Amino acid sequence: AEIKHGRAAMMGSLGLLTQSVYKLPGYENVPSGLGAQWTEPGSNTLVIVFFLIGCLEIGLSPWSDNPTRPGDYGDPLNLGNYSEEMRNKELNNGRMAMF
């Protein structure tokens, strides 16, 4: 489960940095940061994201979860570089993002 939470933290860190530089089309007037959840397009998107995350958490995802290693989906994009060394790098980067 640590790798799963690490991946979520890394995506959140990237999103935090990206939102101050780049705005998606239609979201130009949405403020950066936590203020986005109180504006019209931002609040609608927040509901959709929570729904999609909930679907993934209850098991409605195309990736199968290994019961012996929860949260470890291996190489979901089939890039062919998911070795033990790469997994350790991903764990360490996830730990730093969670910090």
Side-chain angles (χ1 to χ4, degrees):
E2 182 181 10
I3 196 164
K4 179 179 175 182
H5 292 106
R7 286 177 178 172
M10 287 187 286
M11 287 188 289
S13 298
L14 180 64
L16 182 68
L17 295 172
T18 306
Q19 72 177 343
S20 62
V21 177
Y22 177 74
K23 299 272 186 174
L24 292 173
Y27 291 87
E28 292 88 5
N29 297 328
V30 177
S32 297
L34 294 175
Q37 65 185 337
W38 306 116
T39 60
E40 183 56 34
S43 61
N44 295 340
T45 305
L46 181 66
V47 170
I48 292 169
V49 167
F50 270 116
F51 175 75
L52 292 174
I53 290 172
C55 288
L56 290 173
E57 286 294 324
I58 63 171
L60 300 176
S61 70
W63 304 287
S64 60
D65 197 12
N66 187 349
T68 60
R69 296 170 75 167
D72 184 9
Y73 298 107
D75 187 9
L77 299 177
N78 294 324
L79 298 175
N81 61 354
Y82 196 68
S83 62
E84 192 66 30
E85 178 187 359
M86 187 61 85
R87 183 174 183 274
N88 288 333
K89 288 180 181 179
E90 185 178 17
L91 276 172
N92 289 332
N93 288 335
R95 289 173 183 155
M96 186 63 188
M98 286 187 278
F99 179 67

